[in-house]
Amino acid sequence: MKKTLLITVILIVFSCNFKMDHASSKILNSSPKKELQKKLSGKEVVTQLEKLTYFKLTAPSDLDTVKLGFENNYNKLHFFQGPMQEETLLFLDHRYYWIDCETLFEIDGLTLYLKQVRRTFEKLNLVLEFTNEKSDQDQNYWRHTIELNGIEYIAYEGTFSDLDWAIAYVNFIEMLNAALRKQGSQEQFYPINCGNTGSFVLLSPQQFDFVSKHYPNDNEHPTTLSAWKSIFDL
């Protein structure tokens, strides 16, 4: 009798443990698998960017300098940025741009930055011609337009507000991306930040995916236009 009772208890415990383990397995398996990214060195980051043709717009004479700049900025600061020509504030990779959004918003700022960005279009063997800039302004309202490659785009339209710079910045990137798409380019400009020291960068979808996975996700790194606009409710 005692032996039979002992066997019964063992079977009950075994059965309970099996059910608990089985239930735990279901809970664990129901969680989505997270894709863990390998921590890269600066040299490995540069190698991957090169495979993704990030440096294809860089002049051969500047290539070693640009690669070393990206490597050092990643190792020391975990920051996505290369070196620039100090006297011009233009980046040597021909993809990355500083922009003063206050200057961009002003009437002469639009053509100033279009002239700078045109060098990137030329590197891509694409056209960026701009003409017929128009400004219709009163005390509280401004409509500012320009033609890129024969198509009119709005640089700014609306009543003045605290979001003027941000609106001009978004419109600027959107018109550049439209000009790229109309010429069959898969690469687009991605916003980074806006202000007196704003910036944006040209990336392919694959390059953007790589940067998103291996660099910090903050307002100092590229993001999509839709995500950037949602921050400011534009």
Side-chain angles (χ1 to χ4, degrees):
M1 181 68 179
K2 290 183 179 180
K3 185 176 181 180
T4 302
L5 180 61
L6 179 60
I7 292 173
T8 302
V9 170
I10 291 174
L11 289 174
I12 292 172
V13 170
F14 176 81
S15 176
C16 290
N17 285 340
F18 173 79
K19 290 179 180 179
M20 290 175 65
D21 290 342
H22 188 59
S24 298
S25 176
K26 283 187 173 181
I27 293 171
L28 291 173
N29 290 336
S30 67
S31 301
K33 291 183 179 180
K34 293 183 179 179
E35 184 181 357
L36 298 178
Q37 299 299 321
K38 175 189 173 185
K39 172 68 174 176
L40 302 180
S41 68
K43 188 175 292 293
E44 288 173 320
V45 163
V46 169
T47 297
Q48 291 302 315
L49 287 173
E50 188 167 26
K51 288 180 180 179
L52 294 169
T53 67
Y54 180 88
F55 304 110
K56 71 177 181 179
L57 307 184
T58 305
S61 58
D62 295 326
L63 192 55
D64 289 342
T65 300
V66 170
K67 288 181 180 179
L68 183 61
F70 272 91
E71 181 180 341
N72 289 338
N73 280 336
Y74 184 85
N75 286 335
K76 297 176 181 178
L77 305 171
H78 209 47
F79 196 59
F80 178 69
Q81 190 181 100
M84 64 169 64
Q85 297 173 326
E86 295 294 343
E87 65 274 14
T88 64
L89 294 182
L90 291 174
F91 286 84
L92 294 175
D93 60 17
H94 291 260
R95 290 180 175 275
Y96 209 107
Y97 285 92
W98 284 124
I99 186 166
D100 184 329
C101 292
E102 180 180 13
T103 300
L104 173 68
F105 177 70
E106 296 169 351
I107 189 67
D108 295 328
L110 180 59
T111 54
L112 168 68
Y113 289 112
L114 285 172
K115 289 176 182 176
Q116 291 186 9
V117 174
R118 184 159 55 188
R119 70 179 191 142
T120 296
F121 277 74
E122 291 172 349
K123 284 280 186 178
L124 293 167
N125 294 316
L126 301 178
V127 177
L128 184 64
E129 298 295 340
F130 43 93
T131 186
N132 203 22
E133 184 177 10
K134 296 179 181 178
S135 176
D136 182 14
Q137 181 177 356
D138 60 30
Q139 187 174 357
N140 297 313
Y141 181 89
W142 187 25
R143 176 179 168 82
H144 183 196
T145 63
I146 196 166
E147 288 184 11
L148 301 189
N149 300 335
I151 299 174
E152 185 178 78
Y153 295 93
I154 295 174
Y156 182 87
E157 183 175 21
T159 55
F160 298 119
S161 72
D162 293 337
L163 295 176
D164 292 343
W165 297 4
I167 293 170
Y169 175 71
V170 165
N171 289 347
F172 182 65
I173 294 177
E174 286 184 332
M175 71 172 73
L176 292 176
N177 286 346
L180 287 167
R181 285 193 300 271
K182 289 181 183 300
Q183 297 177 77
S185 175
Q186 296 298 309
E187 298 185 274
Q188 299 278 280
F189 285 102
Y190 289 83
I192 299 176
N193 54 55
C194 180
N196 293 120
T197 55
S199 55
F200 60 99
V201 65
L202 180 77
L203 299 170
S204 69
Q206 296 79 13
Q207 291 163 2
F208 174 72
D209 183 62
F210 175 80
V211 173
S212 299
K213 288 179 178 177
H214 295 281
Y215 285 86
N217 181 18
D218 57 27
N219 60 1
E220 297 297 327
H221 288 87
T223 188
T224 62
L225 259 177
S226 58
W228 201 92
K229 289 163 69 173
S230 68
I231 296 173
F232 294 93
D233 195 24
L234 297 177

